[in-house]
Amino acid sequence: MLTEFLADRGDWTQVMSGARACLFFLEEGAFPLPLQLAPLNFETLFCLRGSVTLTRRDGSSLTAGARQVLILTDLSNLTGASVDAPIEGVLVAVDARGARESLETICSLLGGLTLDTGRVRRWMTSRGGCAVDGPTHWSRAAFADLGRLPQSEWARWCVWKSVELLYLLSTQDEPGTDTLPGSMPDRNITRSLAETCRYMEEHLDEPLTISTLSRRACLSATAFKEEFRRLYGLPVHTWLRQRRMERAAELLRTPGLNLERVAKAVGYSSVSQFAAAFRQQYGVTPGQYRKNV
């Protein structure tokens, strides 16, 4: 689906035989129909910002938001797809036939690891060929470590994580029923929360309170916190702190910015408080991080 759409738009990197990836950005809007995905091909979308919604033939929908991974193996059950808020992410496209030798080599290096691709196909079929992973321990770690890497390594990292995800899916219990993932919040709420997230990302240097953010989302403070956690898997303040630290990591890779300026750019008036929050997320101080990049 996205592979074809991004053929001339994304910056593609051939990571290994049968697997390539690209970093991309898309504005709001619908994808052109028909949606297609070649047999024995699959896509994994690592969503950094924004959200995309898929509509099924039965009228239900599936939304992948920030720090979630969308997995696609079959599009025949879909009738539409749209970007709800400008989306940035890394798309991994895999041709299973072309990647077979590479996967066999990886499995051999890992002591004869077995990837039960038949089980993966059955598990995905029970979910209509599309599923969202996250927030889980695996997805949180995948995105947290992605933020530590230079952008030039994102394609390789996401292909490696896709192989890891393939392994995790191959260990899933056999599906007993064809139950699709539960519906996400009302689409208008999803849109509103995506817009609020974008606002937060554009104003990381400012005080951002639940009261202010819930008014922007046209929700009560309680509903805003509940729906935000339901959609993104994290409390608002935790999500916001992570985004601030990710932005700080980007700034620390910029020569000439001292720690005080970096701290202020992500909403901290105190360098010591900023350093404590940064260490909590990355396990090192801002100064140590800067030396290591």
Side-chain angles (χ1 to χ4, degrees):
M1 180 179 76
L2 277 169
T3 303
E4 184 177 2
F5 190 66
L6 294 171
D8 301 319
R9 304 169 190 238
D11 183 14
W12 288 93
T13 299
Q14 190 74 38
V15 176
M16 66 183 194
S17 178
R20 56 198 182 110
C22 79
L23 176 64
F24 71 92
F25 176 83
L26 290 176
E27 297 286 355
E28 294 180 41
F31 291 114
L33 296 175
L35 302 174
Q36 296 180 346
L37 188 61
L40 297 180
N41 281 242
F42 70 89
E43 298 175 353
T44 51
L45 166 61
F46 292 77
C47 184
L48 299 171
R49 295 176 180 84
S51 62
V52 59
T53 295
L54 308 180
T55 305
R56 304 189 185 95
R57 295 187 184 281
D58 63 3
S60 64
S61 63
L62 181 68
T63 298
R67 300 175 79 81
Q68 292 183 311
V69 180
L70 174 64
I71 313 140
L72 297 169
T73 59
D74 181 8
L75 306 184
S76 61
N77 191 46
L78 301 180
T79 58
S82 64
V83 175
D84 303 316
I87 186 170
E88 180 183 2
V90 179
L91 177 69
V92 175
V94 177
D95 178 345
R97 288 166 295 195
R100 179 176 299 171
E101 186 175 339
S102 298
L103 290 174
E104 289 176 351
T105 299
I106 291 172
C107 289
S108 177
L109 290 172
L110 293 175
L113 178 74
T114 299
L115 291 177
D116 189 343
T117 55
R119 176 171 291 206
V120 174
R121 285 195 299 273
R122 291 189 292 273
W123 191 88
M124 287 297 298
T125 297
S126 75
R127 284 147 178 82
C130 56
V132 172
D133 182 87
T136 61
H137 293 303
W138 177 85
S139 66
R140 290 191 186 101
F143 282 104
D145 290 334
L146 179 65
R148 301 185 187 191
L149 296 171
Q151 197 173 97
S152 59
E153 293 298 316
W154 286 7
R156 293 184 183 88
W157 176 254
C158 288
V159 167
W160 174 251
K161 290 287 109 176
S162 295
V163 174
E164 199 173 86
L165 183 58
L166 183 65
Y167 166 70
L168 292 174
L169 292 179
S170 75
T171 65
Q172 294 290 323
D173 293 334
E174 292 288 346
T177 62
D178 290 344
T179 303
L180 293 170
S183 297
M184 298 302 288
D186 176 84
R187 187 162 182 176
N188 289 333
I189 294 178
T190 301
R191 232 181 244 279
S192 180
L193 290 178
E195 174 59 32
T196 305
C197 286
R198 181 168 59 173
Y199 175 83
M200 286 191 281
E201 290 173 342
E202 293 172 350
H203 297 81
L204 294 177
D205 61 329
E206 301 176 8
L208 296 170
T209 65
I210 293 295
S211 176
T212 300
L213 296 172
S214 60
R215 283 198 300 270
R216 287 193 64 87
C218 299
L219 295 168
S220 70
T222 299
F224 174 70
K225 290 187 289 185
E226 290 177 351
E227 294 293 356
F228 189 97
R229 184 161 191 159
R230 184 182 172 196
L231 180 59
Y232 294 101
L234 295 170
V236 180
H237 288 306
T238 302
W239 185 96
L240 181 57
R241 186 184 68 246
Q242 289 184 354
R243 292 300 177 280
R244 282 177 161 150
M245 294 306 101
E246 289 166 2
R247 176 59 178 154
E250 294 174 6
L251 294 174
L252 287 169
R253 296 195 289 268
T254 303
L257 285 180
N258 60 35
L259 292 186
E260 185 176 2
R261 289 179 63 186
V262 173
K264 287 183 177 179
V266 294
Y268 286 82
S269 57
S270 164
V271 172
S272 61
Q273 290 179 347
F274 161 65
F278 191 91
R279 187 183 185 106
Q280 181 181 355
Q281 177 147 333
Y282 289 106
V284 295
T285 66
Q288 291 169 329
Y289 181 89
R290 173 168 269 171
K291 290 178 182 178
N292 292 333
V293 296

